[in-house]
Each structure stands twice: as C-alpha cells, then as structure tokens.
Amino acid sequence: MDEAAKRSGLDPALARRLQGALTAGGEELFQVITDPAPEVLRAALRNRSLTEDHLLALLKRRDLPEDLLKALYGLKISDSSRRIKLALARNPATPSQVMQAILPQLYLFELVGLCFLPGVTPDQKVAAERVILQRLPTTPLGTKITLARRATSVVTGELLKEGNSALMEACLSNPRLKEVSLFQFLNGANATPDAISSIARHPRWKSRPNLQMAILKNRKTPAIWFTLFLPGTRTPDLNNLLASRRLTPPQKKLVEEELGKRGVRRK
C-alpha cells in the first residue's frame, strides 16, 4: 500500500486511512468516522459494513462538507431511514437542496422541534416554518391547539388569524407570540367579538395601551371594553377615536360620554 501511495503521490498515512475506511469492520468504522479528512469519510460511505448507527454518529459532527452530506443523503440506507433524515435536517451544514427534499417527509412536531434546535440556521428555520404553514389547512383542530402552544411566533401568528375561539387562548398564552400579530389580527376580517374579548381580558395583553387602542378602534368590540378602557385613555386619543370612521354610532356615543365626563366639548 505504501509503495502504491508513493507512486500515486498520495501521503502513505492518508492512503492507509482510506484503505481502512473501505475495509473496516462495524466497530472499527465508528472510529473511522471521527477522521478529520473528508476523503476518508467519503470512502467510509462505500464501506459494506456501514449501518444506520454509523451514519447517525457521523451526522452528529458539525464540520461535514456539503458534498459529503449530499452523498450521505443519496445512500439507499438513508432513503429508508426516518432517523437519518431527521438527523440530516438537524445538521446545520446540510445544503438547502437536501433540506427541501427532507422537510416535507418529517412529522409536524419534528418540524417544530427543528425550529428551536440550538445551532439551526435562519434558512433552515424559515424552511421548516414554511412546511408547517403549508400543512395548516389540513391539520386537525386538536393538533392546531397543541401547535399554537408550542410553535414559533410566525406559526402562532398564522394560527391566530383563523379567529377560532378554541385556538385563541392557546395562541395568546404562547410566550413567542408577538404584539404585531395581534395588531394584524385586530385589523383583519376574522376578529370576532369573542376573539377580541379574549385578547382584552388576557393577563399578558390587557394592559398594553397600544393594544387597547387597537381594540377600541374595532367596530366589533363589545361595549364592555369601551366602559373599561376609555377612562384610562388619553384625551387626544379619545378625540381621535371620535373622528374615526371605523366606530359604530353606539361606540362613538360611549366615547362622547367619556369626553363629557372630562368636560371636553365635542368640536
């Protein structure tokens, strides 16, 4: 082997490691896949003793080159293994082409877990969220409720838009839900009186002045929230509410009554 390596200009030590990668037995192969040389790892992929466990161990490495990961994905053993596909999806070095092929094959909450995995790249997170959103129309309500409690801000915001009362509480309690999603919802067509009330009474959201104003500007908001929120609203904001074309006449009357209590005459 050393003579052949010399003739080919290959480093004898590397040549021996390449030969070992091709011929190692099952136990020895676990040591081979710790080798720092990519060419040794590529040779290991052609080893007849290669198993799912070897590939899972290899995929724990974060220094694998993209071409190696592509080759690994193309193996027959990878095609039939969910564990390998999930490990590939979790590896931050996996190229986008492979990710796009794998993500649709993962379970919904595997995709959710991928979004929160330490070291996941922004592109991988966005790709996983995109697949989740694509599945929402056919996802059962019970699963959506669980998803609303666990998902990223993007997915939770999308679930909130549905306006489903059963989903509302789960979405509002998700610590990743962003205030901007609530503004979008309150200005959307699915903001029902019950949904608005859920936001208005929620411990996390009810005391936020900007949200209170968004609630007061919605013509579907029940009168009780005008009664509760108007006394704490600044006079200039009350005047703006009164000038809004979005409020119903009964809502405007409540605003006028509050201004009257403050001795402010309507212009």
Side-chain angles (χ1 to χ4, degrees), residues 208-223:
R208 302 196 182 198
N210 290 335
L211 280 181
Q212 287 184 2
M213 281 301 297
I215 289 170
L216 292 173
K217 288 179 179 179
N218 194 304
R219 64 188 299 108
K220 297 178 184 177
T221 297

Side-chain angles (χ1 to χ4, degrees), residues 30-256:
F30 282 108
Q31 183 60 38
V32 170
I33 61 177
T34 65
D35 196 291
E39 53 266 52
V40 173
L41 301 179
R42 293 187 195 96
L45 295 185
R46 303 199 301 272
N47 189 304
R48 293 185 178 182
S49 299
L50 189 71
T51 66
E52 180 186 61
D53 288 337
H54 293 119
L55 293 179
L56 292 173
L58 178 60
L59 284 167
K60 291 180 180 178
R61 292 180 54 168
R62 295 296 183 260
D63 60 344
L64 302 177
E66 287 193 358
D67 66 319
L68 179 71
L69 289 163
K70 288 180 182 178
L72 193 157
Y73 175 67
L75 295 175
K76 185 176 181 180
I77 188 173
S78 300
D79 187 53
S80 59
S81 171
R82 285 192 58 78
R83 295 172 67 199
I84 291 175
K85 290 173 184 176
L86 185 56
L88 272 165
R90 288 175 171 173
N91 193 302
T94 298
S96 59
Q97 308 96 300
V98 175
M99 287 293 291
Q100 290 171 8
I102 290 175
L103 291 179
Q105 302 177 56
L106 299 184
Y107 296 132
L108 185 63
F109 288 101
E110 289 175 338
L111 293 166
V112 173
L114 180 61
C115 292
F116 298 114
L117 194 70
V120 66
T121 68
D123 287 346
Q124 287 174 324
K125 181 179 179 182
V126 169
E129 287 176 328
R130 187 180 299 117
V131 175
I132 294 171
L133 295 178
Q134 289 171 349
R135 294 187 189 177
L136 290 185
T138 58
T139 299
L141 178 59
T143 303
K144 284 183 178 180
I145 292 173
T146 304
L147 186 61
R149 296 191 183 105
R150 301 182 187 177
T152 64
S153 59
V154 171
V155 175
T156 305
E158 196 65 26
L159 288 167
L160 184 73
K161 291 178 183 178
E162 295 188 16
N164 185 295
S165 58
L167 277 175
M168 187 62 57
E169 286 302 320
C171 289
L172 293 176
S173 298
N174 186 320
R176 288 170 288 275
L177 181 65
K178 294 182 178 179
E179 192 169 304
V180 65
S181 295
L182 291 174
F183 281 117
Q184 291 172 350
F185 173 73
L186 288 167
N187 289 319
N190 292 334
T192 64
D194 285 344
I196 294 170
S197 293
S198 293
I199 298 171
R201 73 168 68 94
H202 196 276
R204 180 183 171 194
W205 305 109
K206 66 181 182 181
S207 299
R208 302 196 182 198
N210 290 335
L211 280 181
Q212 287 184 2
M213 281 301 297
I215 289 170
L216 292 173
K217 288 179 179 179
N218 194 304
R219 64 188 299 108
K220 297 178 184 177
T221 297
I224 182 61
W225 301 114
F226 279 79
T227 302
L228 293 174
F229 289 163
L230 288 179
T233 303
R234 299 184 314 127
T235 298
D237 291 331
L238 292 179
N239 285 323
N240 288 336
L241 279 174
L242 201 58
S244 173
R245 296 181 179 180
R246 298 168 61 181
L247 270 60
T248 64
Q251 289 173 331
K252 286 192 174 185
K253 183 178 180 181
L254 291 171
V255 177
E256 289 173 344

